Amino acid sequence: MKKIVLKMVVAIVVAFGVVLGISNTQKSQQTNDLLKENIEALASGETTDKIICMGVGCVDCPFSSDKVEFYFTTYNL
């Protein structure tokens, strides 16, 4: 009887640890996504002088839905 109770307690502790670990991982991912968005917003500034999209490729052009090879952007401070 004691062995069965001990096994159940160990199983509950392990399950609790797994749930807690998964919960912490999901919170960390959400924080990282928000942090990336904030960094991009700060880095982009408020205005741009000129955006030039060139070529045909797999990069999204910032002001159209076209796929381009590369684009140039200048920023004002």
Side-chain angles (χ1 to χ4, degrees), residues 62-75:
F63 57 87
S64 70
S65 61
D66 297 335
K67 298 285 186 178
V68 296
E69 186 175 355
F70 55 89
Y71 67 91
F72 296 101
T73 307
T74 58
Y75 293 99

Side-chain angles (χ1 to χ4, degrees), residues 37-58:
E37 289 178 16
N38 285 338
I39 290 172
E40 288 179 12
L42 289 171
S44 68
E46 294 184 9
T47 61
T48 59
D49 279 341
K50 195 175 196 180
I51 298 175
I52 301 171
C53 296
M54 300 186 78
V56 176
C58 60

